[in-house]
Amino acid sequence: MITLPRIMLAALVVIGSYVFVVAPRVDAYTNPSAQWSPQVVEPRPTFTLEPPVPGRRPQGFPDAGTAFFGIFTEKGPGDLTDYNGFVQAAGKGPQVMMFASGWGAQKHFDRQPFDRIVNRGMLPMLGWEPWDYRAESKTDKDRGTQPQYRLSRIAGGAFDAYITEWAKGIKDLGYPVAIRFAHEMNGYWYPWCESANGNQRGDYVAAWRHVHDLFAKLGTKNVIWVWSPNVVYENATPLSQLYPGDDYVDWVGLSGYYGTAGMETYQTFDQIYRPTLAELKRISQRPIVVTETAATDAQGRKAEWITDFLRSLPKHPEIIGFLWYESIKETDWRIAATPAASSAFAQGVAQPYYTARWSPDMVPRTTLPSTASASATPSASASRSN
């Protein structure tokens, strides 16, 4: 998440052949009342999951040869204003919706936001964040300092009761949920980054595996585990040092924006993503999801970037979907912000490649096209728990 102090810090390091591109601060959890209002009571989903038929291969999500698109908003499922504007601008609805939940503020599991997303035909993706955003430092270099949430404490069992409550709650939902746990760990701006908060090398993998194993021990099989770094930049923690392994990950996520603060010079899809995609190819065989992306219009090239982005994804079959950050934060990231951006996005997702649909009985794709023998395989989490 980029801020002016971070730009000043980045200026002190030598930039390589690509530009240091990080995600903007999208603290969707800074206003938890906007995330979910106690007055909103969402009915439980009414679908019925059919038992598997012997010999019949379940349909994959997304199906082979397609990609999904999703949405992430500042206010989450508690306020669907930006979601509604996004659907209108795109000309059709997304298949995934992500919302954030911080451990320090959201003390107990609540199924309401999950149900609200599923009732609108989307896979819920939980951005699960082990910190207290309310105690966040306003000094950028200290933002990742919260000793209570040190990775060694997570791995050591200090939060086991909390994790267990959420694991049981998600299990009881009865439909799939993607969990993007402790994202952008290769940076320095969160307490779970190995370069921050007194964490040591190896602590991130230990914490990830501990959380994952608690879910597996409780038989919570309906989770798609999303490991989601930031696009690589000079002096970032190496991804190979942070990857828990394919046995602990179902999808690899990725944050990458065009036009974060102070970096409005136009950058193509390849300039932003290619170095990271090359690095990921060396450490993981899991499909990739761009879990956060958006574009600025500071130079009047937002529509151009959207067109380039949506034309580039089909050239990368390892990328099975993306989520757009549809909110006003540092700038107006919304596709609904201008007719040109709306038109570019609508035309882009009208391509046959973006015809994925989601339903609760679909099985997430967890293998790359080059290694997949079918369009769908059981999720890694499910197979490990059997």
Side-chain angles (χ1 to χ4, degrees):
M1 311 302 185
I2 197 108
T3 62
L4 182 56
R6 192 169 301 146
I7 291 296
M8 296 173 67
L9 178 62
L12 299 177
V13 298
V14 179
I15 304 301
S17 58
Y18 53 93
V19 174
F20 171 27
V21 183
V22 299
R25 287 184 56 184
V26 287
D27 301 331
Y29 32 72
T30 54
N31 184 359
S33 63
Q35 272 271 315
W36 190 257
S37 170
Q39 288 75 38
V40 178
V41 179
E42 188 71 16
R44 293 198 176 190
T46 57
F47 59 82
T48 301
L49 292 179
E50 299 294 332
V53 177
R56 181 185 297 174
R57 184 176 296 127
Q59 185 171 354
F61 176 74
D63 206 357
T66 69
F68 68 79
F69 70 94
I71 183 173
F72 177 33
T73 69
E74 182 182 0
K75 296 181 179 179
D79 182 339
L80 295 174
T81 302
D82 285 333
Y83 164 81
N84 292 331
F86 179 84
V87 172
Q88 183 175 1
K92 59 182 181 180
Q95 297 84 53
V96 179
M97 185 175 193
M98 181 166 67
F99 69 100
S101 178
W103 287 17
Q106 284 71 52
K107 296 291 187 181
H108 298 287
F109 177 79
D110 180 5
R111 69 174 292 148
Q112 291 287 308
F114 297 94
D115 287 345
R116 194 171 208 204
I117 293 170
V118 169
N119 281 338
R120 283 150 184 81
M122 297 179 289
L123 169 70
M125 183 179 292
L126 168 66
W128 212 25
E129 306 184 352
W131 72 328
D132 188 347
Y133 64 80
R134 299 166 301 182
E136 177 189 353
S137 172
K138 302 306 178 185
T139 303
D140 192 71
K141 66 182 179 64
D142 296 328
R143 186 169 186 244
T145 302
Q146 290 190 12
Q148 179 184 354
Y149 294 95
R150 195 163 286 158
L151 290 169
S152 60
R153 299 195 74 239
I154 297 174
F159 296 93
D160 281 6
Y162 181 82
I163 297 167
T164 295
E165 179 186 338
W166 280 71
K168 290 179 177 179
I170 289 172
K171 179 180 180 180
D172 290 344
L173 291 174
Y175 50 73
V177 171
I179 296 182
R180 183 198 190 210
F181 172 66
H183 65 295
E184 297 173 14
M185 73 301 292
N186 57 327
Y188 60 88
W189 46 90
Y190 287 125
W192 56 82
C193 296
E194 277 197 353
S195 60
N197 206 29
N199 297 318
Q200 304 296 316
R201 181 168 182 162
D203 283 352
Y204 184 86
V205 168
W208 177 285
R209 290 180 176 177
H210 181 77
V211 172
H212 173 279
D213 289 347
L214 278 177
F215 273 67
K217 182 179 180 180
L218 293 165
T220 306
K221 302 179 182 181
N222 55 320
V223 172
I224 305 165
W225 290 97
V226 186
W227 179 80
S228 184
N230 197 83
V231 289
V232 296
Y233 62 92
E234 189 75 11
N235 289 344
T237 306
L239 298 182
S240 58
Q241 179 178 318
L242 301 166
Y243 189 57
D246 284 357
D247 286 344
Y248 286 85
V249 173
D250 299 313
W251 291 348
V252 170
L254 193 58
S255 298
Y257 288 69
Y258 154 53
T260 50
M263 294 191 173
E264 290 82 5
T265 301
Y266 189 76
Q267 297 288 304
T268 66
F269 174 92
D270 281 346
Q271 287 174 305
I272 295 172
Y273 292 99
R274 185 173 291 278
T276 311
L277 293 175
E279 188 169 341
L280 290 174
K281 186 177 181 179
R282 294 190 288 269
I283 66 172
S284 176
Q285 293 299 310
R286 293 301 182 200
I288 295 170
V289 175
V290 178
T291 45
E292 284 187 41
T293 195
T296 183
D297 210 12
Q299 295 191 343
R301 303 184 71 176
K302 182 175 185 173
E304 178 184 353
W305 192 87
I306 290 172
T307 298
D308 174 56
F309 177 82
L310 293 172
R311 286 178 178 173
S312 297
L313 287 188
K315 302 174 186 177
H316 294 272
E318 71 275 20
I319 301 176
I320 61 172
F322 72 93
L323 285 84
W324 189 270
Y325 181 56
E326 186 72 3
S327 290
I328 302 173
K329 194 70 173 179
E330 303 80 1
T331 187
D332 194 340
W333 299 105
R334 300 173 304 160
I335 64 167
T338 66
S342 297
S343 177
F345 194 93
Q347 290 180 27
V349 296
Q351 299 175 68
Y353 191 67
Y354 301 102
T355 55
R357 68 175 188 86
W358 179 80
S359 66
D361 57 352
M362 299 178 79
V363 176
R365 283 171 51 193
T366 59
T367 53
L368 296 174
S370 60
T371 59
S373 60
S375 62
T377 58
S379 73
S381 301
S383 63
R384 287 189 299 269
S385 301
N386 290 334

